[in-house]
Amino acid sequence: MTQAFKLHRALLQDRSLSLSPTEIGLIKRITSPILSLCLFFTLLFQQIVQSVEKVGLLFSKDYVKPTEIDGKKKWKGEGTTPNLESIVIGRCYEYIRIVNPSIGEKNCTEIWEAFKKAFINKDPCNILPSDYELFINLALHTIPPNKSLFWENNHLLVTSYSDRTRRYMPLCDTLIGSFGDFLNWCGQANDTGFNYDSCPNTEECENNAVESFWKIASITYAKQSSGVIYVMLNGSAIGGAYPVKGFFADYEVPNFQKDRISRIEIWVMDDIGGPDLDSCGRGSVQILEERLKTMGYDITCIDNYKSVLLLKCLDYLNHSDCSIVSSAPSTQRGLVSPHRGGSWSRLIYTIFVAFVFEICFNPLN
Amino acid sequence: MVLIVTIVAVLAAVLLANGTKETSMQLLQWKGTGTTKNLQEVILGRCYNYITTVNPELRDKDCQKIWETMQKAFIYKNPCNITTEDYQLLLDLASHPIPCNKSLFWSKTNDLVHRYTKTNHSFLTLEDTLLGYMADGVSWCGNPSSPGINYESCPKWSECESNPTSVYWKMASKMFAEAACGVVQVMLNGSIEAGAFRSNSIFGSVEIFNLDPDKVSAVQIWLMQNIGGPASESCTGHSITRLKSILEERNLRVSCEDNYRPVQLLQCASDPDHADCRLCTNSVQ
């Protein structure tokens, strides 16, 4: 084989090998098919391996349509949370059976299907809040008055303080919120599966599955809130305690039901020992207070509301005024994107190519 | 005559058959709450939630298998006949190591201790481990006849000790105690009349006897009283002295603190204006 190649190459380059034209022609006719055959088999094997990989994956429980292009992820955000369906349905039943059975009977499978319909088999950059309407209607339940707790920039603190509906019922402690809290998801066009590799983040496109979900969830939550409304802001947040462009400002405040709200109480919590960048009557908090007053609400504002402060001080007792920079754990644990590349097939392919290379194109001889 | 006998025999057979059918369809009646509805979905969801968001180091656990093993332990069985062997396979699948100096035991302080661990991730109770997380607040028991699970009622501990949930918690508590290392903590209730430490509690009957003195260096007791009292017991109290002597006999160093301050602050979050809840901070309203 190796000799054949050398001969062929030499002939093609017309180096003189002292052969007659007929002999040359004959040798060409023999060696060229051999080379073509080598190439043919190499390509054939590659195709076979790829098909086997696809078929194998199809039958595997974890089939995922390849979403990588040349090894690069399609989107910049993290992919869908693994086992999303089990987690969400489990949370749904847990909510109606254990956390808040007063909301009565719900069909969690039906709610899950409605949730999926909003974004499955669609362009992941074209999911609108209204796509979740059916889901919202099925998962809706009343929120007791005086229990609504809105917030910006203190997710974990709110979760601890609310104590799973026992003190307050923030959005994450409602059935709707439990579908999305700390989870991530997106689909793909022309595919009925989730994209576990990557999902578009807000910078790539605003109308992504998760963003639209929280928009409609926030709108709904605000519409259902009544009695005394509580708002927890972070007085140490860069950019202001009240982000003038954020979920609270854009989707919640405009949807307050004035006739059902008695008053609004704002708590501005500074990080323990952290900078006091904003507080009641100052900065962005003042903007919020003005806005709500103009809308006709009765407003109270408290700096470092004691009850919440006590909770914050739990971790920083050693300091006399509990002052240490907050070391809140990351809000989203690193998710695993399972490696779906056919590494085994690539390995075999590489070995085969090396083998073929050795046979057909041995450079050392 | 023969005809009459035949008819009687047939009737008797039919009646008996019906009778046995009824017995085999019988759902045993108990005094406690029945199995939580949608138990499978709840347990599976919690398992996946735990390995995905709470403790991602366990991401390779097989939740489906864990559920199946758990179900096999009690389904179609008489719920007064459960043994720890029934749960052995589940224990092997779902147990995981606990970091040292983090184990937090408790007795009669359910709400407070779990509020504490949800806020302060330096400590772990049994209910913060996979086995405890899945089963917390949930009840289950089997029934010898179809469908094998009893959703109506389950035996209380007073009816029979070897019921599925009691045995589960006993086994899980034993495992939790055996896995503890370094300094361990225990939160007890100093406001109950019957005494902060009771020998018939799971802590008093299972956990303290399964702490390994070669792994555990010391036991710290936090004796918490309700804000505003009553102060039924303190570190010098009768039951605490008894607990100390049991632990010391097992070669474990013991210390005790009345109203451990961080936990007390947590209690204060519900009653911030109480005199016991003063904070030395200049940013308090």
Side-chain angles (χ1 to χ4, degrees):
Chain A
M1 277 285 199
T2 330
Q3 302 296 349
F5 173 70
K6 283 200 166 153
L7 209 51
H8 188 86
R9 197 169 63 174
L11 286 166
L12 287 172
Q13 286 167 354
D14 232 357
R15 289 212 197 113
S16 61
L17 279 172
S18 321
L19 293 166
S20 71
T22 10
E23 282 172 330
I24 290 171
L26 196 67
I27 292 167
K28 264 191 188 161
R29 272 204 297 274
I30 295 168
T31 54
S32 144
I34 293 170
L35 282 165
S36 314
L37 267 171
C38 278
L39 200 61
F40 171 72
F41 278 117
T42 309
L43 291 169
L44 179 67
F45 187 77
Q46 182 187 31
Q47 289 307 309
I48 291 171
V49 162
Q50 279 179 357
S51 319
V52 165
E53 182 187 315
K54 281 185 187 156
V55 168
L57 278 179
L58 268 173
F59 288 117
S60 128
K61 210 170 55 158
D62 306 315
Y63 172 62
V64 163
K65 188 172 176 173
T67 47
E68 291 183 5
I69 304 164
D70 298 328
K72 279 193 196 145
K73 289 186 197 295
K74 196 170 178 196
W75 305 106
K76 291 188 190 149
E78 289 204 57
T80 302
T81 308
N83 305 304
L84 185 72
E85 178 170 351
S86 301
I87 293 176
V88 167
I89 292 185
R91 281 183 181 186
C92 178
Y93 279 117
E94 185 171 356
Y95 193 86
I96 66 176
R97 302 281 174 234
I98 301 167
V99 178
N100 192 0
S102 67
I103 70 170
E105 193 61 34
K106 296 270 184 200
N107 184 338
C108 288
T109 318
E110 201 188 346
I111 300 177
W112 163 253
E113 290 300 322
F115 173 77
K116 266 203 303 183
K117 249 212 195 86
F119 59 92
I120 283 289
N121 211 354
K122 291 183 186 174
D123 174 6
C125 276
N126 198 12
I127 312 296
L128 301 171
S130 52
D131 291 336
Y132 286 101
E133 244 173 70
L134 175 61
F135 158 74
I136 295 284
N137 289 334
L138 290 172
L140 203 59
H141 61 84
T142 52
I143 297 170
N146 313 315
K147 290 275 214 167
S148 294
L149 176 55
F150 295 84
W151 56 273
E152 280 284 2
N153 293 316
N154 39 34
H155 191 174
L156 288 178
L157 180 60
V158 162
T159 312
S160 308
Y161 190 63
S162 68
D163 199 13
R164 261 204 142 175
T165 78
R166 293 201 297 187
R167 250 197 211 107
Y168 291 96
M169 195 186 284
L171 175 52
C172 45
D173 284 341
T174 63
L175 180 57
I176 290 173
S178 70
F179 263 72
D181 203 28
F182 291 118
L183 302 175
N184 205 49
W185 61 93
C186 65
Q188 338 176 45
N190 304 320
D191 193 284
T192 50
F194 295 101
N195 185 341
Y196 290 99
D197 274 325
S198 60
C199 286
N201 60 24
T202 316
E203 279 133 33
E204 292 178 279
C205 58
E206 208 186 309
N207 290 335
N208 64 64
V210 174
E211 191 85 7
S212 296
F213 171 87
W214 287 117
K215 280 180 188 166
I216 183 127
S218 304
I219 292 169
T220 312
Y221 181 67
K223 282 188 179 158
Q224 293 204 287
S225 299
S226 62
V228 183
I229 303 291
Y230 298 95
V231 185
M232 195 190 301
L233 301 176
N234 186 340
S236 299
I238 315 274
Y242 166 65
V244 279
K245 284 211 76 51
F247 279 101
F248 179 60
D250 297 332
Y251 300 98
E252 290 173 333
V253 173
N255 287 292
F256 282 160
Q257 305 291 290
K258 181 135 197 321
D259 52 345
R260 294 172 60 209
I261 292 175
S262 53
R263 64 180 178 89
I264 301 181
E265 187 170 304
I266 305 167
W267 306 326
V268 185
M269 306 303 303
D270 296 329
D271 288 341
I272 303 296
D276 180 15
L277 299 175
D278 259 354
S279 47
C280 293
R282 275 205 299 131
S284 62
V285 184
Q286 188 184 26
I287 298 174
L288 173 63
E289 288 176 276
E290 294 298 314
R291 181 182 178 188
L292 293 173
K293 280 189 191 135
T294 317
M295 290 167 83
Y297 292 108
D298 179 11
I299 310 295
T300 348
C301 186
I302 305 174
D303 280 309
N304 289 306
Y305 178 53
K306 192 165 181 189
S307 187
V308 181
L309 179 66
L310 286 162
L311 197 68
K312 287 177 83 92
C313 277
L314 225 64
D315 288 332
Y316 309 109
L317 251 199
N318 293 327
H319 213 282
S320 59
D321 57 9
C322 315
S323 56
I324 283 179
V325 172
S326 175
S327 59
S330 62
T331 51
Q332 188 158 22
R333 321 268 179 193
L335 293 173
V336 180
S337 13
H339 178 59
R340 305 268 173 210
S343 51
W344 68 269
S345 55
R346 276 197 216 131
L347 179 66
I348 292 180
Y349 175 60
T350 315
I351 292 171
F352 182 73
V353 167
F355 180 67
V356 164
F357 188 78
E358 177 63 32
I359 302 274
C360 298
F361 313 116
N362 192 333
L364 296 172
N365 255 0
Chain B
M1 181 62 192
V2 173
L3 185 63
I4 295 169
V5 170
T6 325
I7 292 169
V8 168
V10 166
L11 276 170
V14 167
L15 280 168
L16 274 170
N18 274 344
T20 7
K21 204 177 168 188
E22 266 166 28
T23 337
S24 71
M25 292 286 281
Q26 190 186 34
L27 201 61
L28 301 172
Q29 310 276 359
W30 307 103
K31 293 182 187 156
T33 333
T35 303
T36 308
K37 289 202 175 67
N38 301 105
L39 181 74
Q40 177 175 349
E41 286 86 350
V42 172
I43 301 283
L44 260 183
R46 280 179 173 186
C47 182
Y48 282 120
N49 197 47
Y50 190 86
I51 67 175
T52 312
T53 58
V54 178
N55 190 350
E57 279 175 24
L58 304 183
R59 68 181 78 96
D60 294 328
K61 292 275 184 206
D62 185 344
C63 285
Q64 188 61 42
K65 190 137 183 255
I66 287 174
W67 159 248
E68 281 162 14
T69 324
M70 183 177 174
Q71 194 185 43
K72 262 207 196 89
F74 68 92
I75 200 168
Y76 284 108
K77 294 183 184 169
N78 185 316
C80 280
N81 268 343
I82 307 296
T83 62
T84 40
E85 280 74 48
D86 289 324
Y87 285 115
Q88 190 54 49
L89 194 52
L90 172 64
L91 191 68
D92 295 336
L93 286 173
S95 62
H96 58 88
I98 318 269
C100 286
N101 307 315
K102 285 198 160 203
S103 301
L104 175 51
F105 297 87
W106 58 274
S107 192
K108 308 295 175 233
T109 48
N110 193 348
D111 278 355
L112 185 58
V113 79
H114 294 116
R115 273 195 196 150
Y116 186 59
T117 57
K118 295 271 182 295
T119 323
N120 184 337
H121 300 274
S122 307
F123 299 102
L124 291 170
T125 59
L126 170 56
E127 293 73 21
D128 296 311
T129 67
L130 179 57
L131 275 172
Y133 187 85
M134 290 193 298
D136 195 21
V138 162
S139 61
W140 65 93
C141 64
N143 193 67
S145 58
S146 187
I149 301 183
N150 192 339
Y151 290 99
E152 306 297 315
S153 61
C154 284
K156 275 185 158 173
W157 194 81
S158 48
E159 293 178 274
C160 59
E161 278 179 41
S162 300
N163 66 71
T165 37
S166 299
V167 173
Y168 181 93
W169 286 113
K170 209 171 159 188
M171 165 217 61
S173 303
K174 179 166 179 270
M175 179 223 68
F176 186 61
E178 283 168 348
C181 60
V183 180
V184 311
Q185 285 72 219
V186 55
M187 194 185 297
L188 299 175
N189 189 337
S191 287
I192 40 177
E193 249 189 75
F197 169 68
R198 289 156 43 167
S199 302
N200 59 0
S201 63
I202 288 196
F203 175 65
S205 60
V206 177
E207 288 172 334
I208 52 174
F209 297 109
N210 282 287
L211 291 171
D212 184 350
D214 293 331
K215 285 168 38 179
V216 174
S217 54
V219 178
Q220 273 177 354
I221 303 169
W222 298 334
L223 191 52
M224 305 307 302
Q225 293 158 351
N226 295 342
I227 297 291
S232 308
E233 191 160 1
S234 68
C235 281
T236 49
H238 184 66
S239 72
I240 300 294
T241 317
R242 200 159 46 88
L243 169 61
K244 280 185 185 170
S245 65
I246 296 175
L247 291 170
E248 276 158 3
E249 231 171 87
R250 298 201 67 230
N251 274 332
L252 293 159
R253 269 193 308 127
V254 195
S255 63
C256 182
E257 194 172 333
D258 282 308
N259 292 310
Y260 178 57
R261 190 67 172 154
V263 180
Q264 192 182 45
L265 283 184
L266 188 60
Q267 291 174 299
C268 284
S270 305
D271 196 357
D273 296 319
H274 199 278
D276 292 345
C277 295
R278 263 187 303 264
L279 253 184
C280 304
T281 152
N282 42 19
S283 52
V284 162
Q285 182 77 7

